[in-house]
Amino acid sequence: MSAPTGRRRAIAKALTALLPLAPYADMEKIRADAGSVHMKTLPPTIAVWLATIAHIRHAHTDYEKLLAEGYDRDSARFFVIEQTNVVLTRWRATRLLEDDDENE
């Protein structure tokens, strides 16, 4: 079941505000993830941010490779912060990932 219409609009607005130049295919994946059931209790802006970081981490960095090489999740996340921020910058994101961002 998809998110209610008001929430879908809020997610779309937050996504456009956060990532003005993200490619359409990436935006659609992030939009779907931000609207998923496990994100429904979060404010749209937080859901979009978390979905964005997860998407970039899995689709645009070496995160999966690091996990396959035996790094634990936190270490792998630390090592892809710079790659994540390169993508965020390319997409003209209004926020970058910080070293101390928790649970993202």
Side-chain angles (χ1 to χ4, degrees):
M1 190 167 131
S2 64
T5 304
R7 180 157 177 89
R8 277 199 308 269
R9 272 198 298 267
I11 287 170
K13 184 177 178 181
L15 191 52
T16 302
L18 176 66
L19 306 170
L21 294 182
Y24 180 78
D26 292 294
M27 295 269 281
E28 287 305 298
K29 176 74 171 100
I30 293 166
R31 182 188 333 272
D33 291 348
S36 67
V37 172
H38 72 280
M39 298 273 208
K40 73 179 181 182
T41 60
L42 298 172
T45 54
I46 302 298
V48 165
W49 175 248
L50 294 175
T52 297
I53 295 308
H55 173 71
I56 291 172
R57 184 182 291 138
H58 290 280
H60 296 280
T61 73
D62 294 331
Y63 180 73
E64 298 284 346
K65 188 174 89 168
L66 291 169
L67 292 178
E69 290 174 0
Y71 285 88
D72 66 75
R73 197 175 74 176
D74 289 338
S75 296
R77 287 178 176 191
F78 174 78
F79 287 121
V80 300
I81 289 172
E82 189 174 331
Q83 287 177 305
T84 302
N85 283 334
V86 166
V87 174
L88 287 168
T89 300
R90 187 179 328 126
W91 294 353
R92 300 292 188 261
T94 56
R95 176 180 176 187
L96 294 178
L97 188 60
E98 303 289 336
D99 288 353
D100 58 356
D101 280 345
E102 293 295 320
N103 302 316
E104 295 186 42

